[in-house]
Amino acid sequence: EAEKVRRKAELISKQNKAAKKAHNLYVNSDPAPLGHPYLKNKRVKPYLTRQANWTKSVYIDDKWQKITIENVLLIPLYNEAGTIRNVQAIFPEKHPELARNKDFLAGAELSGLFAWIGDKTESIAICEGFATGATIHQETGFRVYLAFTANNLLEVGQIIRKHLPDATLIFTADNDKSGVGLKKATEAAEAVNGLVCMPPIEGMDFNDYSIYLQDAKL
C-alpha cells in the first residue's frame, strides 16, 4: 500500500510538471498562420491552434538524442476545471524518426482532457481529432469538443453532459476499418443519451469526407 501511494504521488508530480510545461509552451507561442501546411492540406482554419518548435528525446543509433521539429501546430488539452494539462503537436509532415505527424507531451495525462472550437450551441458535436472538429464546426456552426482519441470519447462525453444537461450531444465517429471509432462513439452516446453519426465511406473521418465531397463537387 505504501508503494502504491508512493507511485501515485510520483505520477501526479510528473503530470503536474508536464502540465506546467504544456501551459508555458502554449501561451508563449504565436497564433498559427492560415498558410500552415497542415491547415492548408486539411482545408480548415487555425481556430485555437498556435505554432512553435517541438523538442523531443528519441532513441537513435543506440543512444538518446534530442530532435527539434519546427513549425508544429499546438492544441491545448484542458481538464474539467479549465486548466491546460497537455498539448498535442501536429507536425507539418510525418517525421521520419517518429513515423507519425502527431505527438503529445511526454509524461502528461490524457484521459478526460479535451479542447473545443466555437461558442456554446444547443447541439454539440464530440469527435476525436482537430481537423475533424474544425471541419464539423465550419460546416454546422456547432460547438465541437475534441477528445483526441476514441478511448477518450466516453469520459469527455460524461464531463460535457454533467455541465450541459440539456444539450444534444452528437458523437461524430471516424469510419476506421477496425470499427473502433464507431464502437467507442456508440458506447459513449449510450452512456450520456447522445446521438452518433459517421461518414459513409470506410477509412474516412468527417474531414476526409468533406474534402472528398469538395473535390467531387458534390
Side-chain angles (χ1 to χ4, degrees):
E1 287 299 318
E3 177 63 17
K4 187 186 294 185
V5 170
R6 186 190 67 80
R7 286 199 303 267
K8 184 176 182 180
E10 278 187 356
L11 177 62
I12 292 172
S13 176
K14 187 176 182 180
Q15 289 175 340
N16 286 339
K17 184 177 179 180
K20 185 177 180 180
K21 183 177 179 180
H23 177 270
N24 290 337
L25 185 61
Y26 182 74
V27 300
N28 292 319
S29 55
D30 297 321
L34 278 168
H36 188 278
Y38 183 83
L39 299 175
K40 289 180 67 176
N41 183 49
K42 295 294 186 177
R43 305 181 191 178
V44 295
K45 298 175 183 178
Y47 294 112
L48 72 169
T49 60
R50 290 177 173 263
Q51 181 174 282
N53 294 336
W54 186 256
T55 302
K56 187 174 181 68
S57 295
V58 181
Y59 198 68
I60 308 172
D61 298 329
D62 298 325
K63 61 181 179 180
W64 287 100
Q65 301 181 34
K66 277 194 173 182
I67 60 171
T68 298
I69 305 169
E70 297 183 345
N71 300 324
V72 306
L73 294 179
L74 295 180
I75 303 171
L77 280 71
Y78 296 90
N79 63 10
E80 187 176 357
T83 302
I84 295 176
R85 299 292 295 177
N86 199 346
V87 288
Q88 183 184 50
I90 302 179
F91 314 146
E93 57 188 9
K94 184 182 288 188
H95 192 275
E97 299 296 342
L98 299 177
R100 62 179 185 272
N101 71 333
K102 296 178 183 178
D103 200 16
F104 292 106
L105 199 61
E109 62 204 277
L110 179 58
S111 179
L113 302 186
F114 53 89
W116 66 91
I117 299 170
D119 296 329
K120 189 171 75 170
T121 51
E122 290 184 5
S123 294
I124 288 173
I126 305 169
C127 67
E128 295 181 38
F130 166 74
T132 303
T135 297
I136 293 167
H137 177 68
Q138 287 173 188
E139 296 292 339
T140 66
F142 296 164
R143 172 179 278 187
V144 182
Y145 284 87
L146 317 177
F148 296 94
T149 69
N151 287 331
N152 203 32
L153 289 170
L154 173 58
E155 194 164 354
V156 171
Q158 289 172 330
I159 292 170
I160 297 168
R161 175 57 79 206
K162 182 167 72 172
H163 292 276
L164 301 172
D166 299 323
T168 299
L169 303 187
I170 308 167
F171 291 84
T172 53
D174 293 355
N175 191 349
D176 30 44
K177 294 180 180 179
S178 66
V180 171
L182 179 59
K183 180 177 181 290
K184 295 297 183 180
T186 301
E187 290 174 354
E190 289 176 348
V192 299
N193 192 27
L195 305 173
V196 178
C197 64
M198 184 177 72
I201 300 177
E202 187 180 83
M204 288 190 177
D205 57 32
F206 274 108
N207 174 261
D208 301 322
Y209 188 54
S210 175
I211 292 173
Y212 165 78
L213 294 178
Q214 290 173 49
D215 290 345
K217 293 182 170 56
L218 297 175

